[in-house]
Structures are given as structure tokens and as C-alpha cells.
Amino acid sequence: MTFGFAPSSAASLSTSASAASASRLLEPAEWAAAGIPLLRNPREVVSGLHARHQPGPSTAIVAVLDPDERLRASASFTRRPAPADGWLFRNVLLSQLRRVIPHDLRRRTPVRTAVLLYCREGDARWTEEDGAWMWGLRDACTLHGLRCGAYITLTRDGWQVLGEGRGGRRPHASSAPEPFATAEAPPQLPRTGGVASEILRRAAAR
């Protein structure tokens, strides 16, 4: 006669939950193959969000950009201590998006793009937590009628657009925010010569 122990229902549920949580993340190769639109000027986007929200460790910033990469809405929040799970991240991102901007579900094709900046400890290398944020961002964008845009980490080493290989040293996780004038500088007036310059000079002198 052989005696054995059947796995408890609690253990089975725990194993199933862990497996489901592990599947709710995206590897860097999957993210790169997903056709995420590239930011034309990622440093400008990062600097603008950093100056606006001044994130600390475990702070996430979700932002919505128009087709010209102008900021239309953004929200920041602190991640609560809990296992990294893309489903939970999706829910909190969707909640923040619903709070700051109407959905675009009636459009045939998404026009606006959501990007996520996450300030965290550690270096710039991909982690499972990053993979869960990627999964959550992609799913939240689908449910809100937005294009899924870049996922950016902010660490002590600087900022990094994951899946693209683009990054910079400033701003970083502990740097002071740049003034808005630097982060979002207005376009300069074109330099012209001759009569136009003389007219502008006389107008300024009045």
C-alpha cells in the first residue's frame, strides 16, 4: 500500500496565481517587437515630466501626448509595496487615465499616445517589475483608446527608454528638477537680416 499527500487547494491556488502573475509581463524583445512608436525628442518629454511632477523612488507618471508630442494630460502616483503584477498596474494606470482625460474609444485609430515614466531604485537594466509595467501600460492604453507609447525608467544612472536603447544622464532619480523654461523652451524667433531685422529692432525700441 502506498501513502501520499495530495497538494492542498490553497497551495494549488497560490501556484496558479504566481504563474498568472508571471505571464502578465513583457520581455524586452516582446516590447521591441510590439511596434511601440518612437519619441521624436525623448529628453524633452522626460525633462518636462520630471520638472512637472518631481518624482521620487517608486513614483510613476503616466502622460498623454498629442500627435505633435505636446503634453495633454499627466498624473503621478506612488506605487504601493506589493508583488509586481501587470494586471494590478493596468488597473491603476487605467484609473489615472480616466481621471485626467476622456477616452478615445470611439475613434477607429488611436490618435493620442500614452507614455509611462517610472522612477525606481537600482540600475537601468530591465527587471520583472518593468515587464509588469509594460504589460499594464499596453493593456490600459487598449482599454482607453490610446496608442501605447514609450516606457521610460528613471534611476540614479539617468533615464532610459526601454526597448529603444536611448537614454541620458540627466535628469536622474535624485536630480533637482529643471525649470520649465529649460525643459519646455519656446521656439526662438527666426534670425533674419535686412529690412525685416530693422523693423523688428525699431518695434522693440518703442
Side-chain angles (χ1 to χ4, degrees):
M1 185 179 291
T2 304
F3 294 90
F5 295 92
S8 68
S9 58
S12 299
L13 286 172
S14 176
T15 303
S16 299
S18 297
S21 177
S23 68
R24 292 192 287 260
L25 61 83
L26 293 175
E27 300 277 349
E30 295 176 291
W31 183 256
I36 305 299
L38 302 179
L39 289 170
R40 290 194 296 271
N41 193 336
R43 187 187 185 283
E44 183 176 312
V45 172
V46 172
S47 297
L49 293 177
H50 183 265
R52 186 178 297 271
H53 292 278
Q54 303 180 28
S58 298
T59 300
I61 304 169
V62 61
V64 179
L65 310 177
D66 70 10
D68 294 322
E69 286 192 3
R70 289 190 296 261
L71 181 65
R72 289 306 176 198
S74 64
S76 63
F77 55 95
T78 302
R79 186 200 158 191
R80 296 176 180 175
D85 187 333
W87 185 77
L88 295 175
F89 290 170
R90 185 276 308 273
N91 288 345
V92 71
L93 287 171
L94 192 57
S95 173
Q96 296 294 329
L97 287 170
R98 286 170 174 166
R99 186 172 64 84
V100 298
I101 200 164
H103 67 74
D104 275 348
L105 293 171
R106 293 185 181 88
R107 292 182 177 272
R108 282 188 174 184
T109 305
V111 174
R112 296 181 291 191
T113 302
V115 300
L116 180 61
L117 174 68
Y118 183 52
C119 181
R120 62 167 173 78
E121 303 287 354
D123 56 33
R125 288 176 293 185
W126 180 89
T127 66
E128 288 192 357
E129 182 184 25
D130 295 324
W133 278 118
M134 290 170 166
W135 192 97
L137 176 63
R138 185 185 65 177
D139 220 40
C141 288
T142 299
L143 294 173
H144 205 63
L146 302 170
R147 287 200 310 169
C148 179
Y151 173 67
I152 307 160
T153 57
L154 192 68
T155 66
R156 64 175 182 271
D157 298 327
W159 57 272
Q160 179 82 15
V161 185
L162 266 68
E164 293 186 21
R166 293 192 291 174
R169 293 183 180 180
R170 294 188 65 85
H172 53 76
S174 56
S175 64
E178 296 180 2
F180 278 106
T182 303
E184 301 177 5
Q188 295 182 350
L189 290 172
R191 295 181 180 179
T192 57
V195 178
S197 292
E198 182 63 21
I199 293 173
L200 288 173
R201 187 186 65 76
R202 289 179 181 174
R206 289 175 183 173

